[in-house]
Amino acid sequence: MSLTAIPYNRVQTIGNILFATRGGKIHSFNLSDHKHISTWQHPDVEKQSIAGDSQTRLESETKTPTNAENAHETEQSEPPAKRQKVAEGDLNISVGDATATKEEIVQKKVKGGKGKGKSDNHGDKSRMGRVVDRPLITLLTCTDDGKHLIAVSGHDKSVWVFEHDGEGQIIQLSQRVMPKRPSAITTGPGSQIIVADKFGDVFSLPLIMTPLSPSSLALRAAPTPKPSLTEPAANTFTVHSKRNLEALEHQRKQLEFERAKEEEAKPEGPIFESHLLLGHVSMLTSLIVTETQGRKYILTADRDEHIRVSRYIPQAHIIEGFCLGHKEFISEMTIPLRKEDILVSGGGDDELFIWDWKAGRVLSKTNLLALAREIAPQTTRIAVSGLTSLVYPEEGGVTYVLATCEDIPAIFTWQLTLDNELKNPGIIQLPCNPLHVAIASASNETALKLVVAMDPGQNVQAKSLHAYTLTRTEHRLSSDVEIPIHGQRSDGPEMQVSESEIRNMFYAIENLRKQGGGGEDAGTDAVAEGNGEVEASPAEG
């Protein structure tokens, strides 16, 4: 089986610094000379590397023996116990397990509690793909001032916060393991991290981690009041019949079992400060915090075609309204720069939707499928993987919206007109499939750049990170200059995976599409009232 390197999958720019994630690592680059600055790696990367070495050793032990080895084995009275070959990608087995027998590994997996047959309400897939047994950064963002970088590692549901010195060096400040796997993340006013998860809940976390007080921890750890466990009144001196002795033994075993459960019980919920803000009844896919006319809002999109507008903290339980009209899942949203009252959304539909999001009204649509067919003529449906915006030129320019689609090697651009329509479509063709796009503008340069993380596939000569200088011709954006990003190392053997694993990790958006086609009834969000949310009346708006 041919292996390929894990590509860069998320990019984030802070001034003249580019941060790019690859596997369980975050690399930083200087956008002026495109040279590598630093690397942070997830603690599990080292464990994975050790496990990979153990797997290699194990495979060498289990390879087909030669004739000489067979002859040597026949001379022995007993052949050595067979070793269990570790399955590809199965890195949950510790180093000590690398020499375990097949029976021991099977028993360990059975006791582990994470059976292959288990799944959540939407299958075992994260925002960026199926859950894999390897460190993988799935989300990346930063604070408005650029002083902090925030990342999500999908395999362990952790939210990481780093302090940024402004020169590309980051220092880890905290790691917080969320109850469910985050599917979208952003920052909000008041130094808050807003996290949406695949089960439909939205939480707020303080940017700087504040451990819970001992009293709060004690309260959280306190078990639910239950009848006290007491020894049976009978004993072997008072019970003599065989049937009663068996009943007594059963009571004692049950008592031991209940006590063991109490000892193993752990506090429910995280041991850090967090607040549940709101909830959907479906997997959340996109999240925006915005402000208009002096009031702050949280916009959330889900797999069930809904866009909800809620007030910001401390009134996030109040629903201002909905943007309803999509027939397929929604995967991306963006509020274009200098257009705070306008929302652009896309997903599994053929069109991009342009909304007056406060009124919940569709202003216009543009056909993205038709544009995608100019690059891939056989395309029958699309899955939007990215939406962003920019102003070109930066001073006094006009607003443009950019979109990418899963499995289509191009960036699509439109000018957002004063009539809130997407006009003058443009196509920036790419050598590989884009995984993520970021806008970069160095303070000492006038030209805007697009930084694109791509999947080179089996093309070993292609690079995963590309930078493009933007130009404009007749109100259409284009790019004729591709700038290589230096310092793209292969890192190590732990970064080598199969093409199917790449697909599992980074091509999961189309999987959001429901097999029956079409959306569910828009009224299903009424169930959200069970989560304590109330729709605002016109007077409250």
Side-chain angles (χ1 to χ4, degrees):
M1 179 187 299
S2 61
L3 299 180
T4 185
I6 296 177
Y8 288 88
N9 65 295
R10 304 294 291 186
V11 284
Q12 176 68 50
T13 59
I14 301 178
N16 201 37
I17 304 299
L18 165 67
F19 290 97
T21 69
R22 184 166 179 262
K25 299 181 180 182
I26 302 175
H27 300 274
S28 62
F29 301 85
N30 188 309
L31 283 173
S32 295
D33 54 19
H34 299 155
K35 291 185 178 180
H36 184 269
I37 299 174
S38 67
T39 298
W40 173 89
Q41 72 174 25
H42 192 290
D44 289 348
V45 171
E46 186 71 23
K47 300 176 185 177
Q48 179 195 2
S49 180
I50 295 173
D53 292 341
S54 300
Q55 177 177 339
T56 303
R57 184 179 69 251
L58 189 59
E59 289 175 346
S60 66
E61 292 177 359
T62 57
K63 67 181 180 179
T64 304
T66 62
N67 292 335
E69 291 170 337
N70 279 330
H72 176 70
E73 286 184 1
T74 56
E75 295 176 358
Q76 300 177 358
S77 58
E78 291 183 7
K82 284 189 176 182
R83 304 299 184 186
Q84 171 68 10
K85 181 177 178 180
V86 181
E88 179 181 356
D90 189 358
L91 299 174
N92 277 337
I93 300 176
S94 65
V95 179
D97 294 329
T99 56
T101 63
K102 178 179 180 179
E103 291 76 17
E104 291 170 341
I105 291 177
V106 170
Q107 290 176 5
K108 181 177 181 67
K109 287 187 175 183
V110 171
K111 294 178 181 178
K114 290 189 177 182
K116 296 288 185 183
K118 281 192 174 185
S119 63
D120 54 39
N121 57 346
H122 288 305
D124 202 16
K125 300 180 178 66
S126 70
R127 175 66 180 85
M128 293 303 297
R130 293 180 177 87
V131 180
V132 292
D133 294 329
R134 64 172 65 250
L136 181 66
I137 305 297
T138 55
L139 299 169
L140 188 69
T141 189
C142 67
T143 54
D144 291 339
D145 58 12
K147 293 181 179 180
H148 293 89
L149 190 72
I150 302 142
V152 171
S153 49
H155 73 290
D156 60 359
K157 311 174 190 175
S158 292
V159 175
W160 301 81
V161 177
F162 306 90
E163 185 177 22
H164 178 222
D165 67 353
E167 302 295 330
Q169 301 288 344
I170 56 176
I171 300 174
Q172 178 186 322
L173 297 183
S174 64
Q175 174 192 11
R176 281 167 274 191
V177 180
M178 300 301 295
K180 304 298 180 184
R181 186 166 293 105
S183 55
I185 191 168
T186 189
T187 59
S191 297
Q192 294 292 310
I193 304 172
I194 311 300
V195 183
D197 66 33
K198 60 187 296 185
F199 274 68
D201 293 329
V202 178
F203 295 86
S204 66
L205 314 174
L207 178 66
I208 305 303
M209 180 176 173
T210 305
L212 292 178
S213 63
S215 59
S216 299
L217 284 174
L219 182 62
R220 182 167 293 190
T224 305
K226 296 179 181 178
S228 59
L229 300 175
T230 58
E231 292 286 346
N235 55 54
T236 53
F237 295 102
T238 59
V239 174
H240 302 287
S241 68
K242 180 179 179 180
R243 183 174 180 180
N244 288 344
L245 284 172
E246 290 176 351
L248 179 61
E249 183 63 21
H250 175 74
Q251 290 178 27
R252 286 181 175 174
K253 288 183 178 180
Q254 183 67 24
L255 182 63
E256 291 175 2
F257 176 73
E258 295 294 338
R259 285 175 175 169
K261 283 177 58 178
E262 286 189 356
E263 291 177 1
E264 294 177 0
K266 296 180 179 179
E268 294 184 1
I271 59 173
F272 49 84
E273 181 183 350
S274 66
H275 301 281
L276 177 63
L277 302 182
L278 57 94
H280 282 229
V281 294
S282 179
M283 175 182 178
L284 289 171
T285 57
S286 189
L287 172 69
I288 294 176
V289 172
T290 187
E291 180 176 355
T292 180
Q293 298 178 350
R295 175 168 283 179
K296 304 175 184 65
Y297 299 89
I298 301 175
L299 279 62
T300 46
D302 64 27
R303 188 192 184 196
D304 286 342
E305 310 93 37
H306 306 123
I307 298 173
R308 181 190 298 183
V309 180
S310 306
R311 293 185 184 177
Y312 189 65
I313 305 170
Q315 296 180 313
H317 59 284
I318 297 179
I319 301 173
E320 288 285 343
F322 296 91
C323 297
L324 304 176
H326 280 275
K327 300 300 182 184
E328 292 286 352
F329 66 87
I330 304 165
S331 54
E332 292 289 339
M333 301 186 298
T334 188
I335 291 182
L337 294 176
R338 301 182 184 176
K339 297 280 188 176
E340 61 182 20
D341 293 327
I342 302 301
L343 175 72
V344 181
S345 63
D349 292 291
D350 295 348
E351 304 92 0
L352 293 181
F353 286 60
I354 296 86
W355 304 86
D356 175 350
W357 58 266
K358 289 191 67 178
R361 182 166 58 93
V362 176
L363 299 177
S364 62
K365 300 179 186 179
T366 190
N367 194 312
L368 177 54
L369 176 61
L371 202 59
R373 282 177 173 164
E374 295 187 22
I375 298 295
Q378 304 303 318
T379 301
T380 58
R381 58 188 186 184
I382 55 173
V384 177
S385 59
L387 281 176
T388 188
S389 72
L390 57 85
V391 174
Y392 189 94
E394 290 186 274
E395 297 297 330
V398 297
T399 299
Y400 287 84
V401 173
L402 287 68
T404 56
C405 296
E406 192 171 77
D407 259 331
I408 298 179
I411 299 174
F412 305 101
T413 70
W414 298 265
Q415 178 186 352
L416 183 59
T417 67
L418 296 177
D419 295 330
N420 297 316
E421 295 183 348
L422 295 180
K423 298 292 186 180
N424 302 317
I427 301 176
I428 300 175
Q429 295 195 29
L430 304 174
C432 317
N433 291 333
L435 298 179
H436 197 227
V437 176
I439 313 298
S441 175
S443 58
N444 59 344
E445 298 181 16
T446 56
L448 282 172
K449 295 179 182 177
L450 288 182
V451 181
V452 189
M454 304 186 195
D455 172 21
Q458 295 296 326
N459 186 355
V460 295
Q461 302 299 324
K463 296 293 186 182
S464 180
L465 276 182
H466 298 249
Y468 295 86
T469 300
L470 287 174
T471 58
R472 184 173 63 172
T473 304
E474 296 180 351
H475 301 290
R476 284 180 170 84
L477 287 182
S478 61
S479 177
D480 299 324
V481 182
E482 179 183 350
I483 309 166
I485 302 286
H486 302 297
Q488 300 183 52
R489 302 166 298 180
S490 59
D491 286 311
E494 74 277 2
M495 289 292 183
Q496 300 295 315
V497 296
S498 66
E499 183 64 26
S500 62
E501 286 181 280
I502 295 292
R503 301 293 304 183
N504 287 341
M505 286 189 280
F506 304 122
Y507 292 83
I509 299 175
E510 180 61 39
N511 293 332
L512 295 173
R513 195 181 305 273
K514 296 168 187 173
Q515 297 302 314
E520 294 180 355
D521 181 55
T524 55
D525 249 320
V527 181
E529 292 184 2
N531 292 333
E533 284 135 1
V534 199
E535 186 163 0
S537 65
E540 293 176 330

